Amino acid sequence: MAFSFIQYTVSERVATIALNRPEKRNALNGPMVAELRAAFRAAAADEAVKVVVLKGNGEAFCAGADLEYLQQLQQNTYDENLADSRELMQLFREIYDLDKIVIGQVEGHAVAGGCGLVTLCDLSYAVPEAMLGYTEVKIGFIPALVAVFLVRKIGEGRSRELLLTGKLVTAEKAAADGLITAVVPAPEITRKVAKVAASLCNEASANSLKVTKKLIGTVLDLPVAEGLAHAAILNAATRGHDDCKRGIAAFLNKEKLNW
């Protein structure tokens, strides 16, 4: 699959999607969003892929929207801007709903839409030097799409602080707020992400990961009683899955199971 703005590779059940506009600090534009959608769809359809790593080439993870792209938006009609917004919406939804685990490898600043991508990752690791934040209000824009996911991820209070002030925060602060999983020194981050990805691939059932990820997203929308009823149904269904039968048999026989 040929791309102009990203790189897509698969190795040992891990698909790596790298934003590849380092000269533009991996800024987002329409074509890059389209390529990201295609890459995530490819990962979703590939049964050999179990984990996706999202990263950026160069000094920045992603600096948000491209300046030329922002200028073009000023010329768009409302309908054109709505169509464009829906493309980004679809990308965000496809990452959030992906039935495989997405790990963010943040080796530089993640700003605005770039921080939105980090928000969508199931797990994410950033270098200490990385700054993260949603700066949309500072240019008269709004962090509309990401707000839907950020509030779910870190809660209303912390989301208000980040989205209303538009300030950038350190990776340490982002980790404390729950926006990212952990801070990892730059020389170690590639190895750390690879180790986490390999652990997920080798030590956890693909079906269990898929169902658990979906469960986490679903129960937030349900009252407690409905959430428990839904969880009980999933629990019963999972017990009949081949992965569960294999896993329990290996556990009882004290065998090491490589998934």
Side-chain angles (χ1 to χ4, degrees):
M1 188 177 295
F3 293 109
S4 298
F5 300 105
I6 68 170
Q7 292 175 338
Y8 180 82
T9 57
V10 177
S11 177
E12 297 181 344
R13 296 189 290 177
V14 178
T16 299
I17 300 174
L19 308 180
N20 193 37
R21 300 182 74 205
E23 74 286 355
K24 298 288 187 179
R25 299 178 62 80
N26 295 322
L28 298 169
N29 59 16
M32 178 182 271
V33 169
E35 290 192 2
L36 283 169
R37 289 192 64 192
F40 275 100
R41 287 197 299 269
D46 190 345
E47 294 184 0
V49 170
K50 196 170 178 180
V51 174
V52 177
V53 172
L54 180 63
K55 59 180 291 187
N57 290 337
E59 295 182 357
F61 176 80
C62 176
D66 180 85
L67 294 179
E68 294 179 4
Y69 176 58
L70 287 175
Q71 290 172 341
Q72 177 60 47
L73 297 183
Q74 301 300 299
Q75 311 303 318
N76 285 357
T77 65
Y78 170 82
D79 287 339
E80 289 170 336
N81 277 324
L82 181 58
D84 184 79
S85 295
R86 284 174 171 164
E87 279 294 303
L88 185 59
M89 176 192 76
Q90 291 297 334
L91 171 62
F92 280 15
R93 188 63 190 265
E94 287 162 1
I95 297 173
Y96 187 78
D97 289 340
L98 189 70
D99 61 3
K100 298 166 186 188
I101 307 304
V102 181
I103 304 175
Q105 183 172 324
V106 186
E107 297 179 81
H109 298 343
V111 181
C115 198
L117 292 174
V118 176
T119 306
L120 293 160
C121 294
D122 300 299
L123 305 168
S124 50
Y125 302 88
V127 298
E129 300 80 11
M131 301 290 289
L132 302 94
Y134 314 90
T135 56
E136 286 88 344
V137 295
K138 293 190 173 183
I139 62 168
F141 194 46
I142 60 171
L145 297 173
V146 71
V148 175
F149 300 98
L150 185 65
V151 172
R152 296 169 72 90
K153 187 167 193 174
I154 68 172
E156 181 181 342
R158 292 189 177 106
S159 295
R160 285 182 183 272
E161 179 187 10
L162 289 171
L163 299 179
L164 294 176
T165 66
K167 67 181 181 181
L168 298 179
V169 299
T170 64
E172 290 285 355
K173 167 69 170 168
D177 283 348
L179 174 58
I180 64 173
T181 306
V183 181
V184 182
E188 301 172 18
I189 191 167
T190 297
R191 183 168 61 253
K192 172 65 176 180
V193 169
K195 183 178 180 180
V196 173
S199 175
L200 289 167
C201 286
N202 298 326
E203 299 176 15
S205 150
N207 182 67
S208 296
L209 292 174
K210 176 181 71 174
V211 175
T212 301
K213 177 175 176 175
K214 187 172 183 180
L215 175 64
I216 292 168
T218 300
V219 294
L220 285 169
D221 298 323
L222 299 174
V224 172
E226 291 182 28
L228 287 171
H230 177 65
I233 291 170
L234 289 180
N235 205 352
T238 302
R239 292 179 186 184
H241 194 277
D242 286 344
D243 279 9
C244 188
K245 294 176 182 179
R246 288 178 60 209
I248 290 176
F251 176 76
L252 293 175
N253 293 325
K254 297 182 179 181
E255 298 172 349
K256 181 174 176 57
L257 187 60
N258 191 322
W259 291 102

